[in-house]
Amino acid sequence: MRIPLSWLREYVDLPATETGRDVQAKLISAGLEVETVEHLGADLKGPLVVGQVLTIEELEGFKKPIRFCTVNVGQANGTGEPQEIVCGARNFAVGDKVVVVLPGATLPGGFSISARKTYGKTSHGMICSSDELGMGDDGTHGIIVLPPETEVGKDAIELLELVDEVLDIAVTANRGDCLSIRGVAREAAIAYGLPLRDPALLDVPGPNAYGYPVKIADPTGCDRFTARTVTGLSAEARSPIWLQRRLQKVGMRPISLAVDVTNYVMMELGQPLHAYDRSLVQGTIGVRRAAEGEKIVTLDGTERKLHAEDLVITDDRGPIGLAGVMGGANTEIADHDAAENGGNTTSDVVIEAAHFDQVSIARTARRHKLSSEASRRFERGVDPQAAAAAAQRTVDLLVLLAGGTAESGVTEISAPPVPHTITLAADHPDRVAGVAYGRETVVRRLQEVGCDVYGQDELIVTVPSWRPDLTDPNDLAEEVIRLEGYENLPSTLPRPPAGRGLTARQRLHRRVGRALAGAGYVEALNYPFVGEQVFDQLGLDADDPARRVVKLVNPLSDEEPALRTSLLPGLLAALRRNDGRGAHDLALFETGLVFHPRDEQRVAGNLPVDRRPGEDDLAALDAALPDQPRHVAVVLAGAREQAGWWGKGRPADWADAVESARTVAREAGAELGTRKGQYGPWHPGRCAELTVTVDGEERVIGHAGELHPRVLKTLGLPARTCAMELDLDAVERVGDDTPQAPGISTFPVATQDVALVVDEFVPAADVEAALREGAGELLESIRLFDVYDNAEQLGEGRKSLAYALRFRAGDRTLTVDEASAARDAAVALAGERVGAVLRS
């Protein structure tokens, strides 16, 4: 909500020395979020005056129309002679009053004005548009044409109110009262301890039988409807400059007098209004729910198919407006330009000021994707008692500015007001804040926001109609605390009980993150939302369990309505973004939850708020939630080791992805198995299955390796991108993170190297497993240090794998014969298992 300081001062006598920054600080202290203070006209310097166009000469021979004008600016130029100005605009004529900036002036943006030669003429200044003066959109997209009665030579800076300060307030969803000058003025008055001149305190005539006929078919959706009629509006009447400028300052575009007045009153009082052309309304105005499939053309020119829950305004023909959201085009007020072009001239209007149900209006606005200034206010809460005053204010302005006549008939349909009362212990705010305010302070602060307060130790508080957000004692406590100043609350550090700390699961997650960061990976946190098309891009089978997703009822984006079942989509998108921005050597990781729907769908019950939920409550809640295991994943592209004086470096490959999984397993104290695999996005020839042994049974918990070229092309990823993902919870279950001191033997190691020739398709992991089992207890470690394939020496389809075997006994020095026997046993089992033979 934009609040011009000049408008605010109309209702609160702020000290003359107070700037926008001072008011901002006061309102922030009172709990309002004032984001910025805009200084309008801060760099504007005159002379800027009103001029009258005397002559216009059309200049020929240029690519665009150019006019050479003489303008009477009175004595503002010091000579009284007509000012010669070159201008390209076409929306003014001889005799029009315009805004002229003279040489020596400075326009917003630091644009200095001086006499200069252009298009063969010397231009001594400019005829200004609203954009050039920083006024905002006035709907003309051209030169400002002032009313004929404007005095020539008058200071246009003062006339157009170009110098002002505007506070931009981010209004929260519960403070609909602050979407008005009246609401913010009340807050400013409280903050400064000054009286408020409430613009809603008007003499309003009571309802009678002569008002425009109105019928409410849904009193739940509309509990108050006021209708007033004004006739005889002048077709030539336009919004005065002061009204247009106030609308522009709050961010609205002037349209026509009747519409501008309703918008002005809405901004002033917070009550949305609508003006109907009386000649276009047929019969009784009604309020009802729409019939399913009923249609209406709204003021934005869009035909909308209505839902049965939509609240609509009707006449005898059908819907003429979406209640609380936007009016219909079939009763639109004709503006001045439309009248000049042969359109209808509106002389009689019916003013609607109604109060609608918050939830109904919010749902209609979202259903039709049609957020308006009216719907923003209704869905946040509008003062139901302000409708009659807003209608009266609108009538008064139309009579004053358009020469209309207010008809004596007043229609007001309303449910009997039921005051909302709250019982509050006088010391409740003290207990909430931990500060001794005392009863007098509590009563005074509640009265300042408009509450009626009675009682001593137990207060009976009647909430004002403009604060529907005050519903319980804690809301009242918050009002006291914020007005007394959040900054005055004492800072007390919490004291955690001894013996508590991170759980084993949390410690593991942190160790895994530190280990991967130490290995050169950068953590990337991504949103847990995906679109189901990503599974096709990753090449998952149609029956893959990962395609079963949990869908959100109200997703942030229609393109990503589901919760992720894998971390890879988010990580790969992050890798693609960074690669597209010039970072080509990438190693990213993420640990996070994935979501799998349960076979049995349950509905979660409401947890108690007056006590800690019991174990049964929490168990029922968990059973209704999807399964949420924690995964860890990495993606790599580009160089894994940079080139330099130390060497050539090397690119990232599938082995780095596998090693990242081993790094995770080491932190968990788990033994991770690897074997050749094939799954989803990974290249079938460069994919490893990651396994753990649970209860004597091997279980696949993830995959690592190089991604398939088809997936890389589909997702726009760099060539040879690699990835790893595994179930971190599964690793934790089989791991033992108890610190183990390394065993240090006093006996020397015996090293034996073997080179085995096997078929090309035999995985190295299978050969290693056979060697490890065959070598027996004396084997301390085994390492693959060479892979060799030469068809001339080894034969077609054969490869050589060279392993370094380290043998050691804990109680003696091994002899050569013992080490050789262990090696031979290992080679023999490898020959039996995978057909390996020693390379000669």
Side-chain angles (χ1 to χ4, degrees), residues 95-218:
D96 282 346
K97 303 289 181 63
V98 294
V99 178
V100 178
V101 57
L102 300 177
T106 302
L107 294 182
F111 183 58
S112 299
I113 303 300
S114 60
R116 64 189 183 95
K117 191 168 184 179
T118 179
Y119 297 104
K121 301 285 186 177
T122 300
S123 182
H124 299 271
M126 285 175 53
I127 302 176
C128 298
S129 68
S130 59
D131 287 339
E132 290 164 339
L133 297 179
M135 295 171 56
D137 185 11
D138 64 355
T140 64
H141 303 292
I143 294 304
I144 302 170
V145 178
L146 300 171
E149 64 273 13
T150 310
E151 178 186 350
V152 172
K154 183 178 178 62
D155 183 0
I157 295 178
E158 179 183 350
L159 175 70
L160 299 177
E161 301 178 15
L162 297 178
V163 178
D164 202 351
E165 292 182 279
V166 179
L167 285 69
D168 194 352
I169 301 177
V171 180
T172 55
N174 66 321
R175 291 302 304 272
D177 60 305
C178 288
L179 286 174
S180 66
I181 303 295
R182 178 195 184 200
V184 176
R186 182 179 293 107
E187 293 294 318
I190 296 172
Y192 280 92
L194 296 171
L196 169 70
R197 288 188 292 275
D198 191 342
L201 295 180
L202 301 174
D203 291 330
V204 179
N208 54 49
Y210 309 108
Y212 198 93
V214 175
K215 180 179 179 181
I216 307 297
D218 190 339

Side-chain angles (χ1 to χ4, degrees), residues 40-41 208 232 261 271-272 274 283 365 432 473 492 593 746 794:
L40 302 182
N208 54 49
V261 167
Q271 168 66 52
H274 191 71
V432 171
T492 305
L593 301 179
T746 59
L794 302 178

Side-chain angles (χ1 to χ4, degrees), residues 526-548:
N526 300 290
Y527 287 114
F529 311 118
V530 295
E532 293 184 77
Q533 72 279 357
V534 75
F535 302 127
D536 296 326
Q537 296 170 342
L538 292 177
L540 300 186
D541 295 336
D543 59 349
D544 194 298
R547 285 183 176 268
R548 293 186 61 232

Side-chain angles (χ1 to χ4, degrees), residues 29-30 437 445 479-490:
S29 178
Y437 293 124
R445 288 303 189 184
E479 291 300 297
V480 175
I481 295 168
R482 75 176 180 88
L483 294 179
E484 285 295 305
Y486 290 120
E487 68 277 10
N488 295 323
L489 294 177

Side-chain angles (χ1 to χ4, degrees), residues 45-56:
K45 178 185 174 183
L48 188 72
V49 298
V50 175
Q52 184 173 25
V53 180
L54 301 178
T55 65
I56 298 177

Side-chain angles (χ1 to χ4, degrees), residues 348-602:
D348 301 341
V349 298
V350 178
I351 306 300
E352 166 213 312
H355 184 262
F356 300 110
D357 176 61
Q358 289 181 243
V359 175
S360 178
I361 300 306
R363 288 177 176 172
T364 296
R366 283 157 178 75
R367 189 179 297 119
H368 295 281
K369 296 181 173 62
L370 185 61
S371 179
S372 64
E373 292 289 347
S375 68
R376 286 182 62 216
R377 285 161 175 79
F378 278 122
E379 64 191 30
R380 285 166 172 79
V382 169
D383 181 3
Q385 305 296 326
Q392 181 63 45
R393 176 73 163 141
T394 304
V395 168
D396 292 343
L397 287 173
L398 288 176
V399 170
L400 174 66
L401 301 177
T405 301
E407 288 196 352
S408 59
V410 177
T411 302
E412 187 169 329
I413 301 175
S414 62
V418 179
H420 178 54
T421 60
I422 302 171
T423 301
L424 174 75
D427 64 345
H428 182 68
D430 300 12
R431 289 185 280 110
V432 171
V435 176
Y437 293 124
R439 179 188 176 281
E440 291 185 2
T441 299
V442 171
V443 172
R444 175 172 56 85
R445 288 303 189 184
L446 292 179
Q447 289 176 338
E448 286 178 344
V449 298
C451 297
D452 291 329
V453 186
Y454 302 95
Q456 292 298 319
D457 294 338
E458 187 173 82
L459 305 178
I460 306 299
V461 181
T462 302
V463 174
S465 59
W466 56 82
R467 291 299 303 274
D469 59 304
L470 303 181
T471 60
D472 57 54
N474 285 331
D475 294 330
L476 299 178
E478 182 183 1
E479 291 300 297
V480 175
I481 295 168
R482 75 176 180 88
L483 294 179
E484 285 295 305
Y486 290 120
E487 68 277 10
N488 295 323
L489 294 177
S491 298
T492 305
L493 294 176
R495 295 181 179 180
R500 303 283 180 87
L502 299 177
T503 64
R505 187 174 188 240
Q506 291 170 330
R507 289 196 298 271
L508 173 61
H509 297 162
R510 294 197 178 189
R511 290 202 310 274
V512 167
R514 286 194 294 266
L516 290 175
Y521 292 86
V522 175
E523 186 171 16
L525 300 178
N526 300 290
Y527 287 114
F529 311 118
V530 295
E532 293 184 77
Q533 72 279 357
V534 75
F535 302 127
D536 296 326
Q537 296 170 342
L538 292 177
L540 300 186
D541 295 336
D543 59 349
D544 194 298
R547 285 183 176 268
R548 293 186 61 232
V549 295
V550 177
K551 290 189 176 180
L552 300 172
V553 175
N554 188 20
L556 294 180
S557 169
D558 291 338
E559 295 180 358
E560 296 180 331
L563 293 174
R564 65 190 179 190
T565 56
S566 167
L567 301 181
L568 288 184
L571 273 179
L572 293 174
L575 185 141
R576 180 177 62 248
R577 283 194 302 272
N578 283 274
D579 181 72
R581 294 170 184 172
H584 303 302
D585 302 327
L586 296 163
L588 309 178
F589 84 93
E590 180 178 9
T591 61
L593 301 179
V594 298
F595 306 85
H596 299 289
R598 298 184 188 271
D599 295 332
E600 181 183 356
Q601 298 294 325
R602 299 184 182 181

